[in-house]
Amino acid sequence: MLNDEICKLRNKLNKSIENGEDYSVIYQLSVELDELIAKYYKDTPKNLSEG
């Protein structure tokens, strides 16, 4: 589920960049994506993230 959220937000970020949206919008999406990725790795058991 978290992986799906990451994919959706990454696609939204990519479209924002392609469309030349304002830097503040791109930055905010990037920060949100970073937070989701950090949460994903925090919640992933070590044995899965190392393999």
Side-chain angles (χ1 to χ4, degrees):
M1 184 166 129
L2 191 55
N3 193 35
D4 291 337
E5 290 180 52
I6 290 170
C7 289
K8 288 177 188 176
L9 191 53
R10 183 180 60 223
N11 289 336
K12 188 174 179 180
L13 174 60
N14 288 338
K15 287 181 183 181
S16 294
I17 293 168
E18 289 172 4
N19 294 335
E21 293 207 24
D22 188 75
Y23 178 77
S24 62
V25 173
I26 293 170
Y27 178 78
Q28 183 59 40
L29 290 171
S30 180
V31 168
E32 290 175 26
L33 182 58
D34 287 347
E35 290 172 354
L36 280 179
I37 291 170
K39 181 173 173 46
Y40 174 83
Y41 280 108
K42 180 182 176 197
D43 294 347
T44 301
K46 283 191 175 190
N47 59 353
L48 292 178
S49 63
E50 292 174 358

